[in-house]
């Protein structure tokens, strides 16, 4: 079976062909990062317009690289949400048209499910598992007792981790997206600034990052006002250490509580080297897995991987009525 997968939920126009056994035959991504960098973040309308101009070319290229014709495709899968509505609609309509014209079934895929199943592109998923999903829009701990069952254990009460990274980077004048830049600088610095540990005394699996983000931003402003030079790499190291500590502690607490076999870290922030190294320390106690780097940030191969899981679990296909307006952006609202 060959699945053509399409992803346009934010600022990447992506298409991929994934075949059975999770073989990625092509994985095409046209990033708009440079365009949005000028604004310091993603501008939704600009993103939609660029998706419109790129989508056909990206789909053609994905088929071309896979050496397949449209008639070789068995299912067209597309991100149905959560994401920027205008951006989602471009991918959804392209998928609907492709499916309709070639008489191929259509499957709308939750973007977060995509991030989780990115794991299956390089590892066998083992249940029960706990997944830490960390991206620009989400920070969630998800428990999967078995294939196809998702339970939300906790989520951020305010900012997502990626969002906090991007805002701290912007205040430091590092550019967009900030995550990779902070990650690179963190290894060159020392965690010598003292920062508050988020939700230190709170039980449960929720997160909060806006207090930490504000503390870093205040620190930068105060030092600047005092005329002190900011040790940028040290700020990055301090911020990253606090974030990674918080994420790993809660993830391991959840993994022990639910006695899981596998611990997965997924989403754009799972590309973070500090986080990957820190969670790797628990290899042995659990089977610790992270996606390959190219499948951490948004891509369409992960949407294809999630589509395979949905088909395996007999989830129904979608109709021409599929649109991006009905979706939940967290796991426990029934539309996951
Ligand atoms: O999953 P993703 O591509 O898009 C969303 O679904 O949001 O995640 C993008 C986020 C951005 O906030 C970006 O700064 C962050 O992932 N990110 C990182 C790293 N690479 C990407 N954050 C920390 N360290 C990284 N190496
Ligand atoms: Zn994402």
């Amino acid at each position: 079976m060959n699945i053509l997968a399409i992803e346009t939920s934010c600022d990447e126009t992506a298409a991929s062909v994934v075949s059975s056994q999770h073989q990625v035959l092509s994985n095409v991504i046209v990033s708009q990062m440079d365009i949005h960098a000028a604004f310091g973040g993603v501008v939704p309308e600009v993103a939609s317009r660029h998706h419109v101009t790129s989508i056909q070319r990206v789909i053609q290229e994905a088929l071309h690289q896979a050496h397949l014709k449209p008639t070789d495709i068995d299912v067209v899968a597309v991100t149905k949400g959560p994401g920027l509505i205008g951006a989602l609609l471009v991918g959804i309509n392209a998928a609907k048209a492709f499916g309709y014209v070639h008489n191929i079934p259509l499957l709308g895929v939750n973007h977060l499910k995509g991030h989780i199943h990115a794991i299956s592109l390089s590892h066998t998923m083992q249940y029960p598992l706990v997944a830490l999903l960390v991206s620009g829009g989400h920070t969630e701990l998800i428990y999967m007792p078995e294939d196809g069952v998702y339970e939300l254990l906790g989520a951020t009460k305010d900012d997502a981790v990626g969002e906090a990274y991007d805002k701290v980077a912007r205040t430091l004048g590092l550019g967009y997206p900030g995550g990779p830049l902070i990650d690179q600088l963190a290894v060159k610095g020392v965690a010598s600034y003292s920062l508050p540990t988020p939700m230190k005394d709170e039980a449960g699996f929720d997160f909060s990052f806006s207090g930490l983000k504000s503390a870093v931003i205040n620190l930068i402003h105060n030092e600047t006002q005092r005329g002190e030079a900011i040790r940028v790499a040290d700020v990055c190291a301090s911020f990253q250490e606090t974030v990674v500590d918080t994420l790993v502690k809660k993830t391991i607490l959840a993994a022990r509580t639910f006695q899981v076999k596998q611990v997965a870290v997924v989403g754009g922030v799972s590309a973070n080297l500090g986080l990957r190294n820190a969670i790797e320390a628990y290899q042995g106690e659990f089977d610790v897995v992270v996606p390959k780097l190219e499948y951490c940030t948004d891509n369409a191969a992960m949407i294809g991987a999630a589509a395979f899981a949905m088909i395996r679990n007999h989830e129904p296909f979608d109709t021409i009525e599929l649109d991006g307006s009905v979706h939940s952006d967290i796991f426990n609202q029934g539309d996951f």
Side-chain angles (χ1 to χ4, degrees), residues 7 9 111-112 115 135-136 267-268 296-298 302:
E7 150 66 41
S9 66
H111 182 79
L112 308 182
H115 276 303
S135 70
C296 290
T297 44
D298 289 350
M302 69 182 195

Side-chain angles (χ1 to χ4, degrees), residues 127-130 143 253-262 286:
Y127 305 96
L129 75 75
V130 156
Y143 173 56
L253 177 65
R256 286 181 180 153
T257 306
F258 289 88
Q259 302 188 338
V260 300
K261 279 201 181 122
Q262 197 168 56
F286 308 101

